[in-house]
Amino acid sequence: MDITIFLVNGQSLKANVTDYNAVEFTQSLNNPQILMVNIGDIVINKHAVQMIVPSDSINAPQ
């Protein structure tokens, strides 16, 4: 699945994650003992993540 990761600083990253599981990822983000999370090949501080959405659900400007 192609996903887009929006960061709190306004930047965004794209990743292709074959085994993305939103429930497991949410549990990682809510775990106070975890500081970093991996999304595909990206490792990021969990506090930098604002939103993750499937890339095909983002509306292109018209």
Side-chain angles (χ1 to χ4, degrees):
M1 171 189 301
D2 290 324
I3 60 173
T4 302
I5 306 152
F6 292 93
L7 307 177
V8 294
N9 66 1
Q11 295 180 343
S12 63
L13 305 167
K14 294 190 183 242
N16 185 310
V17 183
T18 56
D19 58 350
Y20 179 72
N21 183 321
V23 173
E24 289 177 8
F25 187 74
T26 301
Q27 291 172 345
S28 295
L29 288 179
N30 290 328
N31 184 339
Q33 296 178 337
I34 295 175
L35 296 177
M36 305 295 282
V37 292
N38 66 309
I39 307 168
D41 292 339
I42 299 170
V43 178
I44 191 166
N45 183 307
K46 73 177 188 176
H47 299 293
V49 176
Q50 181 178 21
M51 176 174 56
I52 299 174
V53 296
S55 295
D56 61 358
S57 70
I58 299 172
N59 294 333
Q62 300 183 18

